[in-house]
Amino acid sequence: VLSISLDGSDYDSQVFHNLYNGDHPIVSGDQGGGSHVHDAYEVVGVPYFVLIDTNGFVLYESNAAASYDLLNAMLVENGLLQNECPAIEFTQTEQVPSGWNLLSKRVLTEDESMESLFSEVASELVLLKDAAGDVYWPSYNLNTIGDYDSNKGYLAKFSNEVSLSWNGILVSFELPIALNLGWNIIPYYAEESINSAIYFNSISSHIIIVKDETGNVYLPSYNFNNIGALEHGKAYFIKVTEGLEFQY
């Protein structure tokens, strides 16, 4: 295998691309990832998922992550045994109070449909929305969002306190997050809690406001921040002056 990215990381900024959050290196040789992947294989979008063998054949390319079963099948067909890169799973569990909450999911599951992800709490989930206003409304069997998008956070209302639990492969904290002009809901994937001013420092000149679910804000232009440290499992409203890509 010449180059692989399971988490959508930017080939220009990383030399090594590791499978399953860095625990199983797959890239070998002195070429690494690098811009040659963009040039030689016309990988133009980031985040992008691509698997290229040592003969230069693209085995898989998509803007959607390959499931473990599909990826394993491709690796086995091309000379790697299954036990050489076993799936490293992580279970994310969140206690979510009743009312409105901003949520982000840190794992990629086998089934990313809203119906599957929230099946255990469907009776308590009143409404789930994205930043564009699309909704998942279980009681009306309505879903205009489609599948869960790891590039986004979501606003959800629950009728009672619930426990959410998802099992899957950890999303890399280096996953580039595309932000549109105006309002977005951004997920939080860093390994530890980081002060919002530090976390968003690289794009602070483009930020109008960051806001959490309780109304605390980070206002870079006023040097004001009462959000403090960002939290796992949470998402945040963010308004930016232009479309951009954020990567911590």
Side-chain angles (χ1 to χ4, degrees), residues 172-218:
S172 171
F173 71 91
E174 294 179 333
L175 178 72
I177 298 172
L179 298 175
N180 298 317
L181 168 67
W183 284 104
N184 301 262
I185 302 177
I186 189 170
Y188 182 69
Y189 296 136
E191 296 291 335
E192 66 280 338
S193 293
I194 300 172
N195 186 280
S196 52
I198 297 172
Y199 185 72
F200 291 114
N201 179 64
S202 65
I203 60 169
S204 61
S205 62
H206 304 286
I207 294 176
I208 298 173
I209 187 173
V210 177
K211 186 166 64 171
D212 68 14
E213 63 201 13
T214 62
N216 293 317
V217 299
Y218 167 48

mmCIF file of all heavy atoms in Angstrom, residues 172-218:
data_model
loop_
_atom_site.group_PDB
_atom_site.id
_atom_site.type_symbol
_atom_site.label_atom_id
_atom_site.label_comp_id
_atom_site.label_asym_id
_atom_site.label_seq_id
_atom_site.Cartn_x
_atom_site.Cartn_y
_atom_site.Cartn_z
ATOM 1 N N SER A 172 -10.699 11.042 13.550
ATOM 2 C CA SER A 172 -9.452 11.737 13.839
ATOM 3 C C SER A 172 -9.717 13.198 14.206
ATOM 4 O O SER A 172 -10.533 13.871 13.569
ATOM 5 C CB SER A 172 -8.508 11.692 12.630
ATOM 6 O OG SER A 172 -7.395 12.536 12.830
ATOM 7 N N PHE A 173 -8.998 13.695 15.230
ATOM 8 C CA PHE A 173 -9.142 15.111 15.588
ATOM 9 C C PHE A 173 -8.571 16.012 14.503
ATOM 10 O O PHE A 173 -8.786 17.215 14.507
ATOM 11 C CB PHE A 173 -8.470 15.396 16.937
ATOM 12 C CG PHE A 173 -6.967 15.346 16.923
ATOM 13 C CD1 PHE A 173 -6.233 16.484 16.668
ATOM 14 C CD2 PHE A 173 -6.300 14.151 17.149
ATOM 15 C CE1 PHE A 173 -4.845 16.446 16.653
ATOM 16 C CE2 PHE A 173 -4.923 14.099 17.137
ATOM 17 C CZ PHE A 173 -4.191 15.242 16.889
ATOM 18 N N GLU A 174 -7.809 15.427 13.548
ATOM 19 C CA GLU A 174 -7.253 16.207 12.443
ATOM 20 C C GLU A 174 -8.179 16.242 11.228
ATOM 21 O O GLU A 174 -7.799 16.763 10.187
ATOM 22 C CB GLU A 174 -5.897 15.632 12.042
ATOM 23 C CG GLU A 174 -4.843 15.771 13.123
ATOM 24 C CD GLU A 174 -3.514 15.173 12.717
ATOM 25 O OE1 GLU A 174 -3.502 14.244 11.877
ATOM 26 O OE2 GLU A 174 -2.475 15.653 13.211
ATOM 27 N N LEU A 175 -9.369 15.692 11.362
ATOM 28 C CA LEU A 175 -10.320 15.727 10.258
ATOM 29 C C LEU A 175 -10.616 17.172 9.863
ATOM 30 O O LEU A 175 -11.075 17.958 10.694
ATOM 31 C CB LEU A 175 -11.625 15.044 10.657
ATOM 32 C CG LEU A 175 -12.747 15.059 9.604
ATOM 33 C CD1 LEU A 175 -12.407 14.104 8.467
ATOM 34 C CD2 LEU A 175 -14.085 14.678 10.225
ATOM 35 N N PRO A 176 -10.340 17.578 8.619
ATOM 36 C CA PRO A 176 -10.689 18.948 8.197
ATOM 37 C C PRO A 176 -12.205 19.137 8.190
ATOM 38 O O PRO A 176 -12.941 18.262 7.730
ATOM 39 C CB PRO A 176 -10.109 19.028 6.782
ATOM 40 C CG PRO A 176 -9.138 17.902 6.671
ATOM 41 C CD PRO A 176 -9.672 16.818 7.548
ATOM 42 N N ILE A 177 -12.648 20.258 8.696
ATOM 43 C CA ILE A 177 -14.077 20.549 8.795
ATOM 44 C C ILE A 177 -14.408 21.736 7.899
ATOM 45 O O ILE A 177 -13.845 22.820 8.052
ATOM 46 C CB ILE A 177 -14.478 20.852 10.249
ATOM 47 C CG1 ILE A 177 -14.209 19.607 11.124
ATOM 48 C CG2 ILE A 177 -15.939 21.259 10.341
ATOM 49 C CD1 ILE A 177 -14.390 19.850 12.596
ATOM 50 N N ALA A 178 -15.284 21.495 6.953
ATOM 51 C CA ALA A 178 -15.684 22.549 6.016
ATOM 52 C C ALA A 178 -16.739 23.438 6.659
ATOM 53 O O ALA A 178 -17.761 22.949 7.152
ATOM 54 C CB ALA A 178 -16.224 21.930 4.733
ATOM 55 N N LEU A 179 -16.487 24.743 6.668
ATOM 56 C CA LEU A 179 -17.436 25.715 7.217
ATOM 57 C C LEU A 179 -17.956 26.596 6.089
ATOM 58 O O LEU A 179 -17.180 27.092 5.265
ATOM 59 C CB LEU A 179 -16.761 26.584 8.273
ATOM 60 C CG LEU A 179 -16.236 25.856 9.517
ATOM 61 C CD1 LEU A 179 -15.481 26.819 10.419
ATOM 62 C CD2 LEU A 179 -17.377 25.191 10.279
ATOM 63 N N ASN A 180 -19.272 26.782 6.062
ATOM 64 C CA ASN A 180 -19.893 27.652 5.066
ATOM 65 C C ASN A 180 -19.942 29.090 5.569
ATOM 66 O O ASN A 180 -19.882 29.339 6.778
ATOM 67 C CB ASN A 180 -21.319 27.176 4.760
ATOM 68 C CG ASN A 180 -21.341 25.783 4.177
ATOM 69 O OD1 ASN A 180 -20.535 25.442 3.318
ATOM 70 N ND2 ASN A 180 -22.267 24.960 4.653
ATOM 71 N N LEU A 181 -20.051 30.025 4.648
ATOM 72 C CA LEU A 181 -20.275 31.419 5.014
ATOM 73 C C LEU A 181 -21.506 31.516 5.898
ATOM 74 O O LEU A 181 -22.547 30.936 5.604
ATOM 75 C CB LEU A 181 -20.475 32.262 3.753
ATOM 76 C CG LEU A 181 -21.007 33.681 3.936
ATOM 77 C CD1 LEU A 181 -19.994 34.548 4.662
ATOM 78 C CD2 LEU A 181 -21.375 34.288 2.589
ATOM 79 N N GLY A 182 -21.384 32.233 7.004
ATOM 80 C CA GLY A 182 -22.517 32.394 7.908
ATOM 81 C C GLY A 182 -22.497 31.378 9.031
ATOM 82 O O GLY A 182 -21.438 30.998 9.525
ATOM 83 N N TRP A 183 -23.693 30.893 9.406
ATOM 84 C CA TRP A 183 -23.827 30.012 10.567
ATOM 85 C C TRP A 183 -23.544 28.556 10.218
ATOM 86 O O TRP A 183 -23.959 28.051 9.177
ATOM 87 C CB TRP A 183 -25.224 30.120 11.155
ATOM 88 C CG TRP A 183 -25.451 31.374 11.949
ATOM 89 C CD1 TRP A 183 -26.153 32.480 11.558
ATOM 90 C CD2 TRP A 183 -24.978 31.648 13.268
ATOM 91 N NE1 TRP A 183 -26.147 33.430 12.556
ATOM 92 C CE2 TRP A 183 -25.436 32.940 13.624
ATOM 93 C CE3 TRP A 183 -24.215 30.926 14.193
ATOM 94 C CZ2 TRP A 183 -25.146 33.517 14.854
ATOM 95 C CZ3 TRP A 183 -23.930 31.494 15.417
ATOM 96 C CH2 TRP A 183 -24.392 32.783 15.744
ATOM 97 N N ASN A 184 -22.857 27.887 11.124
ATOM 98 C CA ASN A 184 -22.584 26.454 11.048
ATOM 99 C C ASN A 184 -22.716 25.863 12.448
ATOM 100 O O ASN A 184 -22.700 26.590 13.442
ATOM 101 C CB ASN A 184 -21.154 26.182 10.563
ATOM 102 C CG ASN A 184 -20.853 26.765 9.196
ATOM 103 O OD1 ASN A 184 -20.915 26.078 8.193
ATOM 104 N ND2 ASN A 184 -20.523 28.061 9.155
ATOM 105 N N ILE A 185 -22.826 24.543 12.518
ATOM 106 C CA ILE A 185 -22.699 23.828 13.790
ATOM 107 C C ILE A 185 -21.475 22.934 13.646
ATOM 108 O O ILE A 185 -21.456 22.009 12.841
ATOM 109 C CB ILE A 185 -23.946 22.990 14.127
ATOM 110 C CG1 ILE A 185 -25.190 23.874 14.189
ATOM 111 C CG2 ILE A 185 -23.745 22.278 15.472
ATOM 112 C CD1 ILE A 185 -26.481 23.108 14.447
ATOM 113 N N ILE A 186 -20.439 23.239 14.419
ATOM 114 C CA ILE A 186 -19.166 22.554 14.264
ATOM 115 C C ILE A 186 -18.997 21.477 15.339
ATOM 116 O O ILE A 186 -19.240 21.722 16.526
ATOM 117 C CB ILE A 186 -17.991 23.569 14.300
ATOM 118 C CG1 ILE A 186 -16.665 22.899 13.930
ATOM 119 C CG2 ILE A 186 -17.893 24.263 15.642
ATOM 120 C CD1 ILE A 186 -15.521 23.888 13.708
ATOM 121 N N PRO A 187 -18.588 20.269 14.959
ATOM 122 C CA PRO A 187 -18.317 19.222 15.959
ATOM 123 C C PRO A 187 -16.972 19.453 16.633
ATOM 124 O O PRO A 187 -16.170 20.261 16.159
ATOM 125 C CB PRO A 187 -18.304 17.939 15.110
ATOM 126 C CG PRO A 187 -17.818 18.395 13.768
ATOM 127 C CD PRO A 187 -18.375 19.784 13.583
ATOM 128 N N TYR A 188 -16.735 18.718 17.708
ATOM 129 C CA TYR A 188 -15.474 18.852 18.444
ATOM 130 C C TYR A 188 -14.843 17.478 18.588
ATOM 131 O O TYR A 188 -15.399 16.590 19.235
ATOM 132 C CB TYR A 188 -15.723 19.467 19.823
ATOM 133 C CG TYR A 188 -14.462 19.672 20.623
ATOM 134 C CD1 TYR A 188 -13.524 20.628 20.230
ATOM 135 C CD2 TYR A 188 -14.201 18.914 21.762
ATOM 136 C CE1 TYR A 188 -12.354 20.819 20.953
ATOM 137 C CE2 TYR A 188 -13.038 19.113 22.496
ATOM 138 C CZ TYR A 188 -12.124 20.061 22.078
ATOM 139 O OH TYR A 188 -10.961 20.254 22.797
ATOM 140 N N TYR A 189 -13.637 17.297 17.981
ATOM 141 C CA TYR A 189 -12.994 15.987 17.941
ATOM 142 C C TYR A 189 -11.625 15.931 18.606
ATOM 143 O O TYR A 189 -10.962 14.899 18.546
ATOM 144 C CB TYR A 189 -12.841 15.529 16.482
ATOM 145 C CG TYR A 189 -14.146 15.312 15.754
ATOM 146 C CD1 TYR A 189 -14.324 15.772 14.461
ATOM 147 C CD2 TYR A 189 -15.194 14.643 16.375
ATOM 148 C CE1 TYR A 189 -15.523 15.566 13.795
ATOM 149 C CE2 TYR A 189 -16.391 14.439 15.722
ATOM 150 C CZ TYR A 189 -16.548 14.895 14.424
ATOM 151 O OH TYR A 189 -17.727 14.688 13.771
ATOM 152 N N ALA A 190 -11.163 16.997 19.217
ATOM 153 C CA ALA A 190 -9.828 16.994 19.821
ATOM 154 C C ALA A 190 -9.740 15.953 20.933
ATOM 155 O O ALA A 190 -10.751 15.583 21.546
ATOM 156 C CB ALA A 190 -9.487 18.370 20.367
ATOM 157 N N GLU A 191 -8.519 15.471 21.205
ATOM 158 C CA GLU A 191 -8.316 14.419 22.196
ATOM 159 C C GLU A 191 -8.566 14.909 23.623
ATOM 160 O O GLU A 191 -8.908 14.129 24.497
ATOM 161 C CB GLU A 191 -6.885 13.877 22.091
ATOM 162 C CG GLU A 191 -6.572 13.193 20.776
ATOM 163 C CD GLU A 191 -7.309 11.881 20.611
ATOM 164 O OE1 GLU A 191 -7.672 11.268 21.641
ATOM 165 O OE2 GLU A 191 -7.548 11.469 19.468
ATOM 166 N N GLU A 192 -8.383 16.206 23.859
ATOM 167 C CA GLU A 192 -8.578 16.744 25.191
ATOM 168 C C GLU A 192 -9.397 18.031 25.114
ATOM 169 O O GLU A 192 -9.616 18.561 24.036
ATOM 170 C CB GLU A 192 -7.237 17.030 25.867
ATOM 171 C CG GLU A 192 -6.408 18.133 25.214
ATOM 172 C CD GLU A 192 -5.645 17.678 23.985
ATOM 173 O OE1 GLU A 192 -5.398 16.475 23.845
ATOM 174 O OE2 GLU A 192 -5.321 18.553 23.154
ATOM 175 N N SER A 193 -9.881 18.496 26.263
ATOM 176 C CA SER A 193 -10.605 19.762 26.297
ATOM 177 C C SER A 193 -9.615 20.903 26.093
ATOM 178 O O SER A 193 -8.596 20.974 26.783
ATOM 179 C CB SER A 193 -11.329 19.930 27.638
ATOM 180 O OG SER A 193 -12.351 18.975 27.771
ATOM 181 N N ILE A 194 -9.919 21.774 25.146
ATOM 182 C CA ILE A 194 -9.029 22.877 24.791
ATOM 183 C C ILE A 194 -9.812 24.181 24.870
ATOM 184 O O ILE A 194 -10.974 24.242 24.446
ATOM 185 C CB ILE A 194 -8.454 22.687 23.368
ATOM 186 C CG1 ILE A 194 -7.651 21.381 23.286
ATOM 187 C CG2 ILE A 194 -7.584 23.878 22.970
ATOM 188 C CD1 ILE A 194 -7.227 21.024 21.880
ATOM 189 N N ASN A 195 -9.197 25.217 25.402
ATOM 190 C CA ASN A 195 -9.851 26.520 25.462
ATOM 191 C C ASN A 195 -10.249 26.954 24.060
ATOM 192 O O ASN A 195 -9.478 26.822 23.109
ATOM 193 C CB ASN A 195 -8.919 27.551 26.107
ATOM 194 C CG ASN A 195 -9.602 28.880 26.318
ATOM 195 O OD1 ASN A 195 -9.734 29.680 25.398
ATOM 196 N ND2 ASN A 195 -10.044 29.115 27.543
ATOM 197 N N SER A 196 -11.435 27.478 23.925
ATOM 198 C CA SER A 196 -11.978 27.820 22.603
ATOM 199 C C SER A 196 -11.119 28.844 21.867
ATOM 200 O O SER A 196 -10.973 28.778 20.638
ATOM 201 C CB SER A 196 -13.421 28.326 22.729
ATOM 202 O OG SER A 196 -13.519 29.363 23.681
ATOM 203 N N ALA A 197 -10.513 29.804 22.597
ATOM 204 C CA ALA A 197 -9.660 30.807 21.946
ATOM 205 C C ALA A 197 -8.418 30.158 21.335
ATOM 206 O O ALA A 197 -7.966 30.554 20.253
ATOM 207 C CB ALA A 197 -9.260 31.886 22.939
ATOM 208 N N ILE A 198 -7.878 29.161 22.018
ATOM 209 C CA ILE A 198 -6.713 28.445 21.497
ATOM 210 C C ILE A 198 -7.121 27.541 20.332
ATOM 211 O O ILE A 198 -6.456 27.491 19.297
ATOM 212 C CB ILE A 198 -6.046 27.624 22.612
ATOM 213 C CG1 ILE A 198 -5.524 28.556 23.702
ATOM 214 C CG2 ILE A 198 -4.929 26.742 22.057
ATOM 215 C CD1 ILE A 198 -5.013 27.831 24.936
ATOM 216 N N TYR A 199 -8.220 26.830 20.513
ATOM 217 C CA TYR A 199 -8.666 25.862 19.501
ATOM 218 C C TYR A 199 -8.962 26.536 18.169
ATOM 219 O O TYR A 199 -8.602 26.022 17.105
ATOM 220 C CB TYR A 199 -9.902 25.140 20.018
ATOM 221 C CG TYR A 199 -10.388 24.028 19.129
ATOM 222 C CD1 TYR A 199 -9.685 22.829 19.025
ATOM 223 C CD2 TYR A 199 -11.569 24.165 18.393
ATOM 224 C CE1 TYR A 199 -10.135 21.800 18.219
ATOM 225 C CE2 TYR A 199 -12.022 23.142 17.582
ATOM 226 C CZ TYR A 199 -11.300 21.956 17.501
ATOM 227 O OH TYR A 199 -11.753 20.934 16.687
ATOM 228 N N PHE A 200 -9.608 27.693 18.203
ATOM 229 C CA PHE A 200 -10.012 28.378 16.979
ATOM 230 C C PHE A 200 -9.019 29.458 16.536
ATOM 231 O O PHE A 200 -9.336 30.255 15.650
ATOM 232 C CB PHE A 200 -11.392 29.016 17.162
ATOM 233 C CG PHE A 200 -12.516 28.027 17.271
ATOM 234 C CD1 PHE A 200 -13.229 27.899 18.456
ATOM 235 C CD2 PHE A 200 -12.860 27.234 16.194
ATOM 236 C CE1 PHE A 200 -14.274 26.991 18.562
ATOM 237 C CE2 PHE A 200 -13.910 26.322 16.289
ATOM 238 C CZ PHE A 200 -14.613 26.197 17.474
ATOM 239 N N ASN A 201 -7.850 29.476 17.134
ATOM 240 C CA ASN A 201 -6.896 30.554 16.871
ATOM 241 C C ASN A 201 -6.564 30.711 15.386
ATOM 242 O O ASN A 201 -6.448 31.833 14.887
ATOM 243 C CB ASN A 201 -5.608 30.321 17.658
ATOM 244 C CG ASN A 201 -4.570 31.397 17.419
ATOM 245 O OD1 ASN A 201 -4.776 32.561 17.746
ATOM 246 N ND2 ASN A 201 -3.455 31.021 16.813
ATOM 247 N N SER A 202 -6.422 29.593 14.666
ATOM 248 C CA SER A 202 -5.991 29.660 13.262
ATOM 249 C C SER A 202 -7.011 30.334 12.352
ATOM 250 O O SER A 202 -6.664 30.804 11.267
ATOM 251 C CB SER A 202 -5.683 28.257 12.734
ATOM 252 O OG SER A 202 -6.853 27.457 12.702
ATOM 253 N N ILE A 203 -8.282 30.401 12.782
ATOM 254 C CA ILE A 203 -9.308 31.040 11.950
ATOM 255 C C ILE A 203 -9.996 32.191 12.687
ATOM 256 O O ILE A 203 -11.074 32.635 12.270
ATOM 257 C CB ILE A 203 -10.365 30.023 11.457
ATOM 258 C CG1 ILE A 203 -11.081 29.353 12.648
ATOM 259 C CG2 ILE A 203 -9.733 28.980 10.545
ATOM 260 C CD1 ILE A 203 -12.310 28.541 12.235
ATOM 261 N N SER A 204 -9.378 32.672 13.753
ATOM 262 C CA SER A 204 -10.036 33.684 14.587
ATOM 263 C C SER A 204 -10.372 34.961 13.820
ATOM 264 O O SER A 204 -11.378 35.623 14.117
ATOM 265 C CB SER A 204 -9.164 34.023 15.802
ATOM 266 O OG SER A 204 -7.909 34.551 15.401
ATOM 267 N N SER A 205 -9.559 35.301 12.819
ATOM 268 C CA SER A 205 -9.827 36.523 12.046
ATOM 269 C C SER A 205 -11.065 36.385 11.162
ATOM 270 O O SER A 205 -11.578 37.385 10.654
ATOM 271 C CB SER A 205 -8.615 36.877 11.175
ATOM 272 O OG SER A 205 -8.349 35.845 10.242
ATOM 273 N N HIS A 206 -11.545 35.165 10.983
ATOM 274 C CA HIS A 206 -12.730 34.916 10.155
ATOM 275 C C HIS A 206 -13.974 34.609 10.992
ATOM 276 O O HIS A 206 -15.054 34.421 10.438
ATOM 277 C CB HIS A 206 -12.478 33.740 9.204
ATOM 278 C CG HIS A 206 -11.290 33.915 8.325
ATOM 279 N ND1 HIS A 206 -11.274 34.780 7.248
ATOM 280 C CD2 HIS A 206 -10.065 33.340 8.357
ATOM 281 C CE1 HIS A 206 -10.091 34.719 6.655
ATOM 282 N NE2 HIS A 206 -9.339 33.864 7.311
ATOM 283 N N ILE A 207 -13.811 34.565 12.306
ATOM 284 C CA ILE A 207 -14.926 34.215 13.187
ATOM 285 C C ILE A 207 -15.643 35.464 13.672
ATOM 286 O O ILE A 207 -15.020 36.390 14.198
ATOM 287 C CB ILE A 207 -14.433 33.400 14.398
ATOM 288 C CG1 ILE A 207 -13.901 32.035 13.953
ATOM 289 C CG2 ILE A 207 -15.556 33.209 15.414
ATOM 290 C CD1 ILE A 207 -13.300 31.225 15.095
ATOM 291 N N ILE A 208 -16.950 35.476 13.518
ATOM 292 C CA ILE A 208 -17.773 36.537 14.112
ATOM 293 C C ILE A 208 -18.141 36.155 15.538
ATOM 294 O O ILE A 208 -18.005 36.947 16.465
ATOM 295 C CB ILE A 208 -19.033 36.784 13.267
ATOM 296 C CG1 ILE A 208 -18.647 37.259 11.862
ATOM 297 C CG2 ILE A 208 -19.951 37.809 13.954
ATOM 298 C CD1 ILE A 208 -19.815 37.375 10.908
ATOM 299 N N ILE A 209 -18.604 34.894 15.705
ATOM 300 C CA ILE A 209 -19.014 34.438 17.026
ATOM 301 C C ILE A 209 -19.014 32.906 17.074
ATOM 302 O O ILE A 209 -19.301 32.247 16.073
ATOM 303 C CB ILE A 209 -20.419 34.976 17.402
ATOM 304 C CG1 ILE A 209 -20.775 34.648 18.863
ATOM 305 C CG2 ILE A 209 -21.468 34.460 16.438
ATOM 306 C CD1 ILE A 209 -22.070 35.312 19.340
ATOM 307 N N VAL A 210 -18.650 32.372 18.240
ATOM 308 C CA VAL A 210 -18.856 30.960 18.567
ATOM 309 C C VAL A 210 -19.763 30.938 19.787
ATOM 310 O O VAL A 210 -19.571 31.719 20.725
ATOM 311 C CB VAL A 210 -17.529 30.235 18.885
ATOM 312 C CG1 VAL A 210 -17.790 28.782 19.285
ATOM 313 C CG2 VAL A 210 -16.575 30.303 17.699
ATOM 314 N N LYS A 211 -20.748 30.043 19.793
ATOM 315 C CA LYS A 211 -21.728 30.026 20.881
ATOM 316 C C LYS A 211 -22.038 28.594 21.287
ATOM 317 O O LYS A 211 -22.182 27.716 20.426
ATOM 318 C CB LYS A 211 -23.003 30.739 20.433
ATOM 319 C CG LYS A 211 -24.049 30.913 21.527
ATOM 320 C CD LYS A 211 -25.121 31.909 21.136
ATOM 321 C CE LYS A 211 -25.933 31.450 19.946
ATOM 322 N NZ LYS A 211 -27.116 32.320 19.712
ATOM 323 N N ASP A 212 -22.138 28.339 22.595
ATOM 324 C CA ASP A 212 -22.525 27.004 23.040
ATOM 325 C C ASP A 212 -24.032 26.955 23.281
ATOM 326 O O ASP A 212 -24.749 27.949 23.081
ATOM 327 C CB ASP A 212 -21.724 26.568 24.278
ATOM 328 C CG ASP A 212 -22.046 27.373 25.534
ATOM 329 O OD1 ASP A 212 -23.061 28.100 25.561
ATOM 330 O OD2 ASP A 212 -21.265 27.275 26.502
ATOM 331 N N GLU A 213 -24.529 25.804 23.723
ATOM 332 C CA GLU A 213 -25.969 25.600 23.844
ATOM 333 C C GLU A 213 -26.604 26.398 24.982
ATOM 334 O O GLU A 213 -27.827 26.569 25.002
ATOM 335 C CB GLU A 213 -26.255 24.108 24.038
ATOM 336 C CG GLU A 213 -25.655 23.552 25.324
ATOM 337 C CD GLU A 213 -25.496 22.048 25.292
ATOM 338 O OE1 GLU A 213 -25.610 21.458 24.206
ATOM 339 O OE2 GLU A 213 -25.250 21.465 26.368
ATOM 340 N N THR A 214 -25.776 26.886 25.910
ATOM 341 C CA THR A 214 -26.323 27.665 27.030
ATOM 342 C C THR A 214 -26.224 29.168 26.815
ATOM 343 O O THR A 214 -26.633 29.944 27.674
ATOM 344 C CB THR A 214 -25.610 27.302 28.345
ATOM 345 O OG1 THR A 214 -24.218 27.638 28.231
ATOM 346 C CG2 THR A 214 -25.745 25.816 28.644
ATOM 347 N N GLY A 215 -25.637 29.589 25.678
ATOM 348 C CA GLY A 215 -25.547 31.004 25.370
ATOM 349 C C GLY A 215 -24.211 31.634 25.660
ATOM 350 O O GLY A 215 -24.022 32.840 25.419
ATOM 351 N N ASN A 216 -23.242 30.872 26.189
ATOM 352 C CA ASN A 216 -21.892 31.402 26.362
ATOM 353 C C ASN A 216 -21.260 31.617 24.992
ATOM 354 O O ASN A 216 -21.555 30.883 24.044
ATOM 355 C CB ASN A 216 -21.038 30.440 27.183
ATOM 356 C CG ASN A 216 -21.512 30.324 28.612
ATOM 357 O OD1 ASN A 216 -21.839 31.313 29.259
ATOM 358 N ND2 ASN A 216 -21.580 29.092 29.108
ATOM 359 N N VAL A 217 -20.366 32.611 24.900
ATOM 360 C CA VAL A 217 -19.853 32.988 23.584
ATOM 361 C C VAL A 217 -18.341 33.201 23.594
ATOM 362 O O VAL A 217 -17.727 33.472 24.626
ATOM 363 C CB VAL A 217 -20.526 34.289 23.076
ATOM 364 C CG1 VAL A 217 -22.020 34.106 22.925
ATOM 365 C CG2 VAL A 217 -20.203 35.473 23.984
ATOM 366 N N TYR A 218 -17.765 33.083 22.403
ATOM 367 C CA TYR A 218 -16.397 33.504 22.123
ATOM 368 C C TYR A 218 -16.472 34.523 20.997
ATOM 369 O O TYR A 218 -16.959 34.224 19.910
ATOM 370 C CB TYR A 218 -15.545 32.301 21.729
ATOM 371 C CG TYR A 218 -14.203 32.653 21.115
ATOM 372 C CD1 TYR A 218 -13.357 33.599 21.700
ATOM 373 C CD2 TYR A 218 -13.770 32.022 19.945
ATOM 374 C CE1 TYR A 218 -12.132 33.921 21.140
ATOM 375 C CE2 TYR A 218 -12.544 32.334 19.373
ATOM 376 C CZ TYR A 218 -11.732 33.273 19.965
ATOM 377 O OH TYR A 218 -10.525 33.593 19.397
#
